[in-house]
Amino acid sequence: MKKLKAKNMWLTLDTILKIAILLAFIFPFLWMISTSLQTLKETMNFPPTIIPEIPQWINFVDAMTSGPFLTYAKNSFIITFSIIIIQLLVMIPAAYAFAKYEFAGKNILFGLVLIAFMIPGQITFIPIYLMMADWGMIQTLLPQILPFMANAFGIFLLRQYFMQIPEEIIEAARLDNANEFKIMWKIMVPMSKPALATIGLFSFVSHWNDYFWPLVMTDSNEVRPLTLGISMLRETEGISNWHIIMAGNVVLVVPILIVYLFCSKQIVKAFVYSGIK
Amino acid sequence: MNKRRVWEAIRPYVMIGPAMIGIGLFVIYPLIYLIYLSFYKYNLLNKSMSKFIGLDNYVQIFSRGDFYKSLSNTVIYTGGVVILTMALSLLIAIWLSKRTRINAIVQAGIFTPHIISIVSVSLIWLWIMEPNLGFLNYILKTLHLPTSQWLQSSKTALLSIIIVSVWQGIGYYSLILVAALQGVSPTIYEAAALDNASKFKVFRKITLPLISPQMFFILVIMTIGSFKVFDTVRIMTGGGPNNATNTLVYYIYTFRTTNIGFAAATGVVLMFIIGILTIIYFRLMAKKVHYQ
C-alpha cells in the first residue's frame, strides 16, 4: 500500500514537471497574445497584466496600418510559393537522372550538389547581391527567389528515394513503350510523395520565416516580405509600443501555428528527416 | 535511330541542367567571386575605381581588435549553445522517450518554437527580457531572486541570446534523440536486465554508444549552424551593448556596403573556419562514433 502511494506521488510529480516544461515553451506565445490585446497603460503595469481588461482588437488595426502590410503579405506568398514550385520542377528531373542514369562526370556533378548543400547564404550573400544589382533585379522579388531555385538537400534526399524504387518497375514501363518523361511523372513522382511533401513543407516553413536573406537583398517596401515588415514595427512604432509590436507578431505567428496544429506530425517528420538548418 | 542515341546521351545533362545552372550561378560562382572581391578595395559606386590590394584586407582583419571580439563572441556563443542544448536535449529526450500521450503533447509543445520565425521569437524574448516591465524579471522578483538587465548589459547580453537560441533549438534536437532512443532494440535492454546491470551503466555502455551517430550529427550541424548566428543578434541587440554580441556574420553584415572587399575577406575567413571545423569533427569523432 505504501509503495503504491509513493509510486503515485512520483507519477504526479512527473506529470507536474512535464507540464512545467511544456509551459516554459508555450507561455511566451500566450504572453505575446495577451500583450497584443492590452492597452499601452496595461503593458506598463508592474506586476504585469496577465489578462487584459478589455481586449484591444484595435491594436491589430494599428499594427497593420502602420505600414504596407498587404504588400508584405503578398510578397511573402509570392516568394514562398514560387520557390517551392521552381524547386520541385528543377529537383525532380535532376534527382531522377542522378538516381537512374549513368553518364560521364556524374560523380563530379553530384559532388557540386553536396558542396552547394554545405555552403550557407551567410557566406555568399555579398557576391550574390552584387550580381543581382548588376542584373538590375534589386527592385524586384527575384533576388529572394532565384538563388533558391536548386535545393541541393532536396535533390540529395529525393535521389535516395528514387534509388529505392526497383529497376523492374521502370523496365516494365519501358517495355510498355512509356517514355522517360512519363515514367518520371507517372511512376517516380507518385511513389515518392512522402519525400516530396517533406521537402516542400520544410521549404515552406524556412522561406516563409526567413529573415536574413530578404534583409540583405531588399531596400524598399515594395519587395519586403512579412518577416521584415514585422521586425520594422519596432522602428516605426517606437520601442515602447509593445502592444502594437506584439499584435504584428501575432499576425506573423498565428498562420504557422494553425498549420502546425493541423499537421504537427508531418511537420515534425519533415524537420527530423530533412531538417538541416 | 542515330538521333535517338544522341538524345539518350545528352538527356541526363538536360535533366540535371537547371539544377546545375542554379548551383553554378548561386553557389560556385559566388564563392569564386567572393575570393576575388577579398583581394580588392571595392568601389560600389564606380567599379572602375576598384583597386587590387592583394592580401591587405586579410592583414587588416587580423590586426583589428573588433574582429577578435566578434570571433570570440561567436566561439563563446557556439560553445554555450552546443553544450547547453546537447545536455538539455538529451535529458529531455530520455525523460520523454516512452510512447505516452502526455509525452507526445510535451514533445509537440517544445518543438513549436522551432517552426516560428526567428523574428517573432526574438521580438517576444526582447519583450520578456525587458529589464523594468518584462515578465522574466517579474518572475525573478516574485521568487526573491536577483533580477538582471538581460540584453541591455554587456555582461549578460551574450548569455541572454544563448538562452533564446537554446530555448528555440531544444525541441528539435530532443525529437531527433527521442527517435534514436526509440530505435534501440528492447532485446538489448532485456539482456542487460538479466545481467543485473545498473541503470547508469546501461545508459553509459549501451544507450549512449547506440545513439552516438545522432549525437554526432547534432554536434556537427549545431556547431556549424551556431557559427552563422545573425538573426537574433540583429533583432535583439544590434551587436551591442558595446560590441558584446557582435558575431562574425553580424560583423560581415555591418561592412557589407561600406567596405565590400573587407567584408568579403571576412566571409572567406568564416568559410575556412567552418570548413576546418567540419574536417576536425569528422577526423576526431568518426572513429569514436558507433555506427550500426
Side-chain angles (χ1 to χ4, degrees):
Chain A
M1 198 63 193
K2 222 177 181 178
K3 220 175 166 184
L4 203 69
K5 235 182 182 172
K7 201 184 164 196
N8 271 336
M9 222 178 77
W10 274 120
L11 262 177
T12 322
L13 190 68
D14 184 73
T15 312
I16 290 172
L17 274 174
K18 277 175 186 166
I19 290 168
I21 290 215
L22 184 62
L23 263 183
F25 287 85
I26 296 297
F27 180 78
F29 297 109
L30 300 175
W31 184 228
M32 164 190 78
I33 293 169
S34 165
T35 307
S36 75
L37 295 170
Q38 294 176 15
T39 60
L40 177 63
K41 203 172 150 283
E42 280 173 316
T43 64
M44 301 288 197
N45 282 347
F46 200 86
T49 316
I50 302 289
I51 295 169
E53 202 171 325
I54 303 158
Q56 302 293 313
W57 301 106
I58 187 89
N59 291 348
F60 289 93
V61 180
D62 286 347
M64 290 302 108
T65 50
S66 69
F69 275 84
L70 215 60
T71 312
Y72 297 150
K74 196 184 79 196
N75 291 339
S76 279
F77 271 105
I78 296 174
I79 293 164
T80 313
F81 287 102
S82 312
I83 290 176
I84 293 176
I85 291 165
I86 295 172
Q87 279 186 351
L88 288 176
L89 291 177
V90 168
M91 176 170 56
I92 293 167
Y96 184 36
F98 276 126
K100 296 291 181 193
Y101 294 142
E102 288 306 324
F103 50 94
K106 180 171 154 176
N107 288 338
I108 295 172
L109 291 167
F110 196 66
L112 289 181
V113 175
L114 294 181
I115 289 177
F117 165 53
M118 283 185 279
I119 303 294
Q122 285 88 342
I123 281 172
T124 48
F125 79 95
I126 291 175
I128 293 179
Y129 181 85
L130 294 180
M131 284 158 58
M132 291 293 179
D134 277 349
W135 299 342
M137 287 180 175
I138 290 299
Q139 293 307 323
T140 69
L141 294 176
L142 292 171
Q144 296 176 73
I145 299 170
L146 287 182
F148 303 105
M149 62 183 272
N151 177 348
F153 190 69
I155 294 171
F156 178 76
L157 198 79
L158 196 61
R159 168 183 162 268
Q160 301 294 99
Y161 222 86
F162 281 171
M163 277 164 45
Q164 289 168 14
I165 295 175
E167 209 62 43
E168 289 80 15
I169 296 181
I170 299 169
E171 284 306 324
R174 281 189 188 133
L175 285 179
D176 281 345
N177 268 333
N179 64 31
E180 295 298 302
F181 184 79
K182 219 173 179 176
I183 292 174
M184 185 169 80
W185 287 106
K186 298 273 157 108
I187 298 174
M188 307 299 264
V189 169
M191 286 183 84
S192 357
K193 263 190 193 150
L196 289 169
T198 293
I199 296 165
L201 208 50
F202 186 69
S203 223
F204 172 75
V205 174
S206 45
H207 291 291
W208 178 266
N209 286 338
D210 195 12
Y211 174 72
F212 177 75
W213 200 257
L215 179 74
V216 295
M217 287 297 155
T218 57
D219 42 27
S220 76
N221 274 338
E222 280 73 54
V223 289
R224 285 195 176 110
L226 261 182
T227 44
L228 279 187
I230 303 291
S231 73
M232 281 163 55
L233 270 178
R234 270 183 85 218
E235 287 137 50
T236 52
E237 281 294 316
I239 49 163
S240 61
N241 281 332
W242 287 106
H243 56 313
I244 309 288
I245 297 169
M246 287 304 131
N249 219 357
V250 168
V251 174
L252 186 63
V253 172
V254 165
I256 287 266
L257 275 187
I258 291 173
V259 173
Y260 184 55
L261 211 62
F262 283 105
C263 45
S264 62
K265 266 208 182 115
Q266 285 87 326
I267 290 184
V268 167
K269 222 168 95 187
F271 272 82
V272 174
Y273 286 122
S274 79
I276 302 223
K277 253 186 114 174
Chain B
M1 195 62 198
N2 206 4
K3 221 172 156 188
R4 190 172 158 178
R5 284 183 68 180
V6 170
W7 167 235
E8 269 177 17
I10 60 167
R11 187 171 54 203
Y13 301 103
V14 174
M15 287 169 83
I16 64 167
M20 295 324 288
I21 290 171
I23 288 169
L25 214 50
F26 297 111
V27 180
I28 309 298
Y29 176 68
L31 273 183
I32 298 165
Y33 194 8
L34 182 80
I35 295 169
Y36 166 88
L37 283 170
S38 74
F39 296 124
Y40 277 79
K41 182 150 189 64
Y42 192 84
N43 191 319
L44 192 57
L45 298 173
N46 187 353
K47 261 195 200 168
S48 57
M49 299 276 283
S50 298
K51 234 175 39 209
F52 180 81
I53 53 167
L55 292 171
D56 273 14
N57 285 322
Y58 292 94
V59 173
Q60 217 196 109
I61 290 172
F62 291 109
S63 61
R64 285 180 67 138
D66 55 359
F67 168 76
Y68 289 103
K69 178 76 182 153
S70 68
L71 179 64
S72 73
N73 283 341
T74 312
V75 171
I76 295 169
Y77 170 88
T78 302
V81 168
V82 169
I83 293 168
L84 284 174
T85 313
M86 287 278 262
L88 292 172
S89 311
L90 187 60
L91 208 70
I92 291 179
I94 292 168
W95 193 18
L96 298 177
S97 64
K98 268 212 187 105
R99 293 176 202 267
T100 63
R101 203 178 162 74
I102 181 152
N103 285 353
I105 293 169
V106 179
Q107 281 170 16
I110 64 174
F111 186 80
T112 315
H114 201 76
I115 54 152
I116 303 296
S117 172
I118 198 80
V119 171
S120 303
V121 168
S122 301
L123 287 175
I124 294 171
W125 278 94
L126 202 55
W127 173 218
I128 288 178
M129 286 175 163
E130 214 279 331
N132 301 312
L133 306 163
F135 204 84
L136 202 50
N137 273 353
Y138 165 70
I139 293 176
L140 291 177
K141 249 185 201 161
T142 342
L143 298 171
H144 298 289
L145 291 168
T147 59
S148 167
Q149 287 296 106
W150 300 110
L151 295 153
Q152 294 186 14
S153 149
S154 55
K155 280 187 202 125
T156 51
L158 192 57
L159 178 69
S160 307
I161 288 189
I162 291 175
I163 292 174
V164 175
S165 303
V166 172
W167 178 82
Q168 202 194 13
I170 279 181
Y172 170 52
Y173 297 111
S174 36
L175 276 187
I176 293 181
L177 293 176
V178 165
L181 289 169
Q182 288 175 349
V184 178
S185 157
T187 50
I188 301 178
Y189 289 125
E190 283 159 20
L194 284 178
D195 286 343
N196 268 333
S198 74
K199 264 195 175 166
F200 179 70
K201 204 169 179 189
V202 169
F203 175 74
R204 216 166 45 94
K205 296 276 184 189
I206 298 174
T207 313
L208 215 49
L210 283 177
I211 63 167
S212 57
Q214 285 84 356
M215 300 274 288
F216 176 56
F217 166 79
I218 291 176
L219 189 67
V220 173
I221 61 166
M222 212 168 18
T223 311
I224 293 169
S226 300
F227 244 86
K228 301 182 298 197
V229 57
F230 171 82
D231 303 0
T232 31
V233 171
R234 151 90 190 174
I235 298 172
M236 297 180 85
T237 61
N242 198 11
N243 268 341
T245 55
N246 199 344
T247 58
L248 274 180
V249 176
Y250 193 78
Y251 189 71
I252 297 171
Y253 171 80
T254 50
F255 286 108
R256 80 198 183 286
T257 48
T258 52
N259 196 345
I260 289 181
F262 182 73
T266 318
V268 174
V269 172
L270 176 64
M271 190 170 72
F272 266 97
I273 296 174
I274 291 180
I276 289 168
L277 273 178
T278 318
I279 293 168
I280 291 177
Y281 267 142
F282 279 98
R283 278 275 162 93
L284 279 181
M285 301 290 293
K287 284 178 211 157
K288 292 190 182 167
V289 175
H290 208 278
Y291 285 100
Q292 281 119 318

